Amino acid sequence: MSQHDLTLIVGKNAPRDEINRVRHLIDGAWTDGNGEVFERHSPAHGTPVSLISKGNANDASDAIAAARCAFERGVWSDLSGKERATLLLKVADLIDENRPRIARLEVLESGKPISQALGEIEGAADIWRYAASLARTLHGDSHNSLGRDMLGIVLKEPIGVVSIITPWNFPFLIASQKIPFALAAGCTCVVKPSELTPSTTAILGELLIEAGLPAGVVNIVNGFGDPVGSVLTTDPRVDMVSFTGSTAVGKTIEKAAGDTLKKVSSELGGKNPQVLFADADLDSAIDAIVFGIYFNAGECCNSGSRIIVHEDILDEVISRVVSLSQKVPFGDPLDPETKVGAIIHDGHQQKINGYVREAVAAGAKIEIGGAPIQIDGLPGAFYGPTVVSGLTPDMPIASEEVFGPVLSVLTFRTMDEVISLVNDASYGLSAGVWSENIHTCLEFARRAQAGTVWTNTWMDGFPELPFGGVKESGQGRELGRYGLEEFLEVKTVQMRIGRTRANWI
Ligand code: NAD
């Protein structure tokens, strides 16, 4: 059965596309599984985008069996690093070739703007290339100083079968922060994309087959947390779970995986502060604040969703942020000029609005926005650029992950005060500091509890640099060499040379 089985969309306001049929990929074959399906509509346009096979426990189990069998047979793990790298590079080229198709489906399912989606797919290809370099340079250690009759070798081996569970906000990019590293290590995988955005992961499956990946090495099962995600995190044939998503689901997964003591690596939520000292370069900082909160409509783990501003510059910062917010092009995500698209679904829009209404009721001030907006008669959910001040740190809008284009403004006077505001949070994903004084930046970077600290910049990222959180933002790291290490097990080999060991008896 083919993955390409398309029907023309019918409906008012429909982008002139075809419904994308998304099937499971199990043991190298596309399958309808148990035959159940569900639909995904464009959150911006309201039109149907994809018809998706809805996996059940048997489908998940079949996929795990295929991954286990492929791993045990060594069809991938026995290949040389050079052979694995060659395939990863081929996939990167195929991603580049298919970039417009992948980006368009990403837009239609997630609501993100097309210019951003194109950039993300280009960035994803780059990550595949970086992972290829790791596949070739992967090595362990040797210990040649244990005495003349002893050699110690530390081998790095693939951990085995990995369940990969991804969210809806960066579907292709996050899959590309996991799968190529697992493959570089020699693992086999079962992937479950978000039920809201599965299409581009299926395209990745097509590209892996086209590149020549052996059957069963990467399997994809579509569907929901219950039952597919649950099976992927509890089945004893799975060795590791690599999860990106909410902290609440991350905790459920940790518990579920604990029964079989699987390794769990998790990339979870954040409430990331940008701190502005009085000597900050405001021209750069204001732009980074606006980018930090409205990028991906604020539906971003790394969203700079709270700014903590030195009291001396508060009025100027608020007025400049409000003024720049008015210039951000919110609109139809298929318009190349749009920088902020639709909210993922109506229920999430209501959740965002709930945080704002609750803050207003508690005495907060709306500096701009604070309500859903209409875009060109599109039926989808859009939320206006919003800045909220007059907050106390304990308010939910200031301490929880709103996951929308809503900026919380807090103030401080001293370094000690701002460090306690930054660190007095359950999350610890990222933090930023703006100051022209290197000593201020360095002290902040050392004292902030976060997996990433940006100084005089925000949300830069490179395949070479590890990414992940502390505290309730997750465990483990993606990207960089650490991103590969997550998928490796360590084995110690101790070799006696010659018959020099004195007998015990
Ligand atoms: P989510 O936790 O609701 O879902 C994530 C994935 O988990 C989906 O595929 C979902 O089907 C699956 N799932 C749900 N319940 C499950 C269960 N019981 N067992 C196994 N799998 C289950 O998250 P979301 O709404 O898709 O994504 C938004 C969240 O992801 C935000 O909290 C955001 O901060 C976080 N996120 C974190 C990072 C990071 O790198 N730290 C990156 C992107 C998103």
Side-chain angles (χ1 to χ4, degrees):
M1 187 169 293
S2 153
Q3 179 60 13
H4 296 285
D5 180 9
L6 305 170
T7 337
L8 208 63
I9 282 184
V10 280
K12 222 170 142 224
N13 291 331
R16 291 190 60 77
D17 268 59
E18 298 164 315
I19 292 184
N20 190 44
R21 183 72 176 90
V22 184
R23 296 191 164 88
H24 312 301
L25 175 61
I26 299 177
D27 207 12
W30 295 102
T31 162
D32 289 341
N34 66 79
E36 271 194 82
V37 291
F38 64 103
E39 269 190 9
R40 173 65 178 151
H41 287 62
S42 162
H45 311 93
T47 47
V49 180
S50 21
L51 185 67
I52 305 142
S53 292
K54 183 177 172 188
N56 64 11
N58 286 338
D59 300 322
S61 179
D62 289 350
I64 293 168
R68 186 82 249 164
C69 178
F71 186 74
E72 300 303 341
R73 286 173 49 228
V75 292
W76 180 248
S77 57
D78 283 351
L79 297 190
S80 67
K82 178 180 173 181
E83 288 167 311
R84 294 210 281 262
T86 302
L87 186 132
L88 297 185
L89 291 171
K90 209 180 281 180
V91 175
D93 290 344
L94 289 170
I95 292 171
D96 282 339
E97 281 169 31
N98 286 272
R99 188 156 72 111
R101 178 165 77 107
I102 302 170
R104 189 172 171 89
L105 271 169
E106 200 84 318
V107 169
L108 290 176
E109 284 186 343
S110 75
K112 69 175 66 212
I114 186 74
S115 57
Q116 182 191 318
L118 285 164
E120 284 171 22
I121 310 309
E122 187 180 11
D126 189 38
I127 297 175
W128 282 80
R129 293 196 174 94
Y130 173 71
S133 74
L134 295 178
R136 270 204 97 155
T137 52
L138 190 174
H139 61 83
D141 301 318
S142 63
H143 291 254
N144 198 29
S145 53
L146 304 172
R148 63 182 298 232
D149 56 351
M150 183 59 74
L151 179 65
I153 305 177
V154 181
L155 301 178
K156 300 275 180 80
E157 299 182 335
I159 200 163
V161 174
V162 185
S163 289
I164 291 181
I165 302 175
T166 55
W168 48 261
N169 58 347
F170 296 93
F172 197 85
L173 192 63
I174 289 176
S176 296
Q177 289 183 189
K178 297 176 184 293
I179 300 171
F181 294 83
L183 292 180
C187 295
T188 61
C189 317
V190 180
V191 184
K192 191 200 91 59
S194 167
E195 57 275 19
L196 297 169
T197 54
S199 286
T200 57
T201 303
I203 295 180
L204 185 57
E206 289 175 18
L207 305 184
L208 288 167
I209 292 172
E210 192 177 339
L213 190 73
V217 176
V218 171
N219 307 271
I220 304 170
V221 187
N222 303 295
F224 294 77
D226 179 20
V228 177
S230 301
V231 173
L232 260 47
T233 52
T234 51
D235 190 299
R237 295 167 294 177
V238 171
D239 300 293
M240 172 181 171
V241 180
S242 173
F243 170 73
T244 298
S246 62
T247 293
V249 172
K251 287 179 182 177
T252 306
I253 287 176
E254 288 275 355
K255 284 182 198 140
D259 270 351
T260 44
L261 284 182
K262 297 183 200 321
K263 176 174 181 177
V264 178
S265 115
S266 55
E267 300 287 341
L268 310 176
K271 186 73 185 178
N272 314 295
Q274 294 212 56
V275 171
L276 278 78
F277 279 84
D279 65 342
D281 164 15
L282 288 190
D283 287 344
S284 306
I286 301 295
D287 185 76
I289 289 167
V290 168
F291 163 61
I293 188 59
Y294 302 132
F295 173 72
N296 214 52
E299 297 169 326
C300 178
C301 57
N302 259 333
S303 171
S305 53
R306 53 181 178 139
I307 55 170
I308 313 180
V309 185
H310 194 279
E311 278 177 13
D312 290 353
I313 54 169
L314 179 66
D315 293 344
E316 183 183 358
V317 167
I318 289 182
S319 122
R320 290 181 67 173
V321 169
V322 166
S323 160
L324 199 56
S325 297
Q326 287 159 343
K327 297 187 183 144
V328 179
F330 282 58
D332 183 341
L334 286 172
D335 180 342
E337 298 302 317
T338 294
K339 287 229 189 265
V340 184
I343 301 298
I344 190 76
H345 56 68
D346 288 345
H348 187 55
Q349 166 126 306
Q350 282 160 23
K351 185 178 160 201
I352 295 168
N353 204 34
Y355 273 108
V356 176
R357 301 274 62 85
E358 185 187 34
V360 170
K365 182 179 172 204
I366 304 285
E367 302 283 353
I368 182 177
I373 50 172
Q374 280 283 316
I375 299 288
D376 297 336
L378 291 180
F382 293 85
Y383 203 84
T386 299
V387 177
V388 187
S389 65
L391 303 173
T392 53
D394 55 326
M395 287 178 172
I397 199 170
S399 57
E400 295 175 15
E401 192 181 44
V402 175
F403 230 53
V406 176
L407 180 68
S408 295
V409 184
L410 298 158
T411 59
F412 76 99
R413 286 216 68 81
T414 65
M415 174 68 88
D416 283 350
E417 196 187 337
V418 80
I419 287 294
S420 61
L421 280 171
V422 166
N423 290 347
D424 188 18
S426 54
Y427 292 118
L429 191 59
S430 57
V433 59
W434 292 87
S435 166
E436 292 297 281
N437 184 327
I438 183 71
H439 305 289
T440 303
C441 291
L442 205 47
E443 181 175 353
F444 179 88
R446 285 180 162 161
R447 293 177 66 185
Q449 294 170 353
T452 296
V453 175
W454 285 291
T455 77
N456 295 318
T457 184
W458 186 258
M459 230 189 302
D460 293 308
F462 299 88
E464 290 84 351
L465 295 182
F467 175 70
V470 300
K471 303 199 284 188
E472 294 196 10
S473 288
Q475 309 191 20
R477 290 294 177 268
E478 292 188 341
L479 303 174
R481 281 196 38 246
Y482 295 92
L484 177 74
E485 296 288 335
E486 290 290 335
F487 297 102
L488 292 169
E489 194 57 91
V490 169
K491 181 182 280 173
T492 302
V493 181
Q494 303 184 26
M495 302 167 71
R496 185 165 293 282
I497 297 150
R499 299 274 168 259
T500 55
R501 182 177 178 276
N503 289 343
W504 187 49
I505 306 278

